[in-house]
C-alpha cells in the first residue's frame, strides 16, 4: 500500500464534533477541517507517517497487514482501535468496506490506548523491530524489503514518539488516517 498516513491528536470536543459528522462524510471533514486546521494551527498534534505506516504496522505486530492483529499495545499504533470510517464490523463479526467509504481508513485510538502506546513504544528496540521487519513476507508487502526501507520506517517510528508522549500526557484521542 503506497498511500500516505497521518496521526492527529484531538481533544474530547474536537472528537465529538468529528463523530457527529455523518459517517459517509467523515473523510471529507477530515481533509477539509481537521487536516487544514491542525497542520496550520496545531502542528504539535500532527504526526506524518508518509508511507512508513505499512511496514511500521507489520514490524510492530506479526508481520502481516491485518486489521485483526492482537498484539497490544503496539498493534494500536496503526490498525488498532475503532474504525470510524472505511471499515464496518458487522454483528456477525465480519468486516466489510462500505462502497461509499472506499477512499480512506480512519481509526480512533482512545486516550488509554495512546497512553499505552506512549509507554510501550520507546521500549521497542531497533533490533527487535528489525527482527520483525525481516519476517515480513515480501510478496505480501509488495515492495522490496531492504536496509533503506527499514531505516525509513524506523525513522518515522522514532519521529512519532514525541507525538504519542504529548497525546498521552494531554489525554487526547488519536485518529490514524490513510488515503487509499
Amino acid at each position: 500500500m503506497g498511500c500516505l498516513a497521518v496521526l492527529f491528536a484531538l481533544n474530547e470536543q474536537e472528537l465529538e464534533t468529528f463523530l457527529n459528522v455523518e459517517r459517509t462524510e467523515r473523510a471529507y471533514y477530515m481533509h477539509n477541517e481537521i487536516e487544514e486546521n491542525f497542520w496550520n494551527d496545531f502542528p504539535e498534534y500532527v504526526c506524518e507517517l508518509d508511507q512508513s505506516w505499512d511496514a511500521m504496522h507489520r514490524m510492530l505486530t506479526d508481520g502481516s497487514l491485518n486489521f485483526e492483529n492482537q498484539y497490544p499495545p503496539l498493534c494500536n499504533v496503526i490498525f488498532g482501535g475503532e474504525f470510524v470510517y472505511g471499515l464496518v464490523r458487522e454483528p456477525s463479526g465480519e468486516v466489510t468496506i462500505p462502497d461509499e467509504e472506499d477512499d480512506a481508513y480512519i481509526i480512533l485510538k482512545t486516550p488509554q490506548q495512546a497512553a499505552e502506546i506512549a509507554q510501550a513504544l520507546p521500549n521497542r528496540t531497533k533490533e527487535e523491530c528489525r527482527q520483525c521487519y525481516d519476517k515480513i513476507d515480501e510478496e505480501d508487502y509488495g515492495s522490496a524489503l531492504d536496509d533503506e526501507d527499514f531505516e525509513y520506517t524506523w525513522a518515522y517510528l522514532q519521529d512519532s514518539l514525541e507525538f504519542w508522549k504529548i497525546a498521552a500526557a494531554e489525554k487526547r484521542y488519536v485518529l490514524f488516517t490513510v488515503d487509499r
Side-chain angles (χ1 to χ4, degrees):
M1 291 188 170
C3 304
L4 305 178
V6 181
L7 297 166
F8 296 92
L10 283 64
N11 65 33
E12 194 167 347
Q13 182 179 3
E14 292 160 340
L15 177 67
E16 186 177 319
T17 300
F18 172 75
L19 292 177
N20 283 329
V21 171
E22 180 79 29
R23 186 178 167 104
T24 58
E25 299 298 318
R26 288 180 180 165
Y28 178 83
Y29 183 85
M30 189 82 208
H31 289 299
N32 292 295
E33 295 296 327
I34 294 175
E35 286 182 17
E36 287 291 321
N37 292 332
F38 277 64
W39 281 111
N40 295 328
D41 300 331
F42 308 107
E44 68 274 19
Y45 299 130
V46 177
C47 180
E48 186 175 6
L49 299 177
D50 199 49
Q51 295 178 8
S52 72
W53 65 274
D54 186 320
M56 189 180 298
H57 180 74
R58 294 169 189 264
M59 75 181 195
L60 293 174
T61 61
D62 66 354
S64 69
L65 193 63
N66 182 345
F67 301 117
E68 302 296 329
N69 274 309
Q70 299 299 315
Y71 299 89
L74 297 179
C75 65
N76 292 329
V77 171
I78 303 297
F79 278 152
E82 177 188 352
F83 276 85
V84 294
Y85 185 87
L87 284 180
V88 172
R89 185 173 309 281
E90 302 295 338
S92 66
E94 180 183 3
V95 175
T96 61
I97 300 173
D99 290 338
E100 62 278 3
E101 296 180 23
D102 65 353
D103 56 336
Y105 294 124
I106 303 173
I107 306 168
L108 171 65
K109 289 92 171 53
T110 65
Q112 171 81 27
Q113 289 169 318
E116 291 168 354
I117 291 166
Q119 183 176 13
L121 202 52
N123 298 324
R124 186 66 176 246
T125 67
K126 188 173 186 177
E127 292 74 27
E128 289 171 321
C129 285
R130 183 61 196 233
Q131 287 174 352
C132 290
Y133 177 87
D134 288 341
K135 293 178 184 174
I136 296 172
D137 180 289
E138 191 167 26
E139 186 176 325
D140 183 54
Y141 183 51
S143 190
L145 293 167
D146 55 30
D147 291 340
E148 183 179 348
D149 185 58
F150 173 76
E151 291 297 334
Y152 162 84
T153 304
W154 175 254
Y156 274 99
L157 183 65
Q158 293 307 293
D159 287 347
S160 77
L161 295 177
E162 185 64 21
F163 170 86
W164 288 110
K165 183 179 169 183
I166 292 169
E170 297 184 18
K171 296 180 175 36
R172 287 182 164 261
Y173 294 85
V174 173
L175 289 178
F176 166 80
T177 180
V178 62
D179 292 331
R180 44 188 176 129

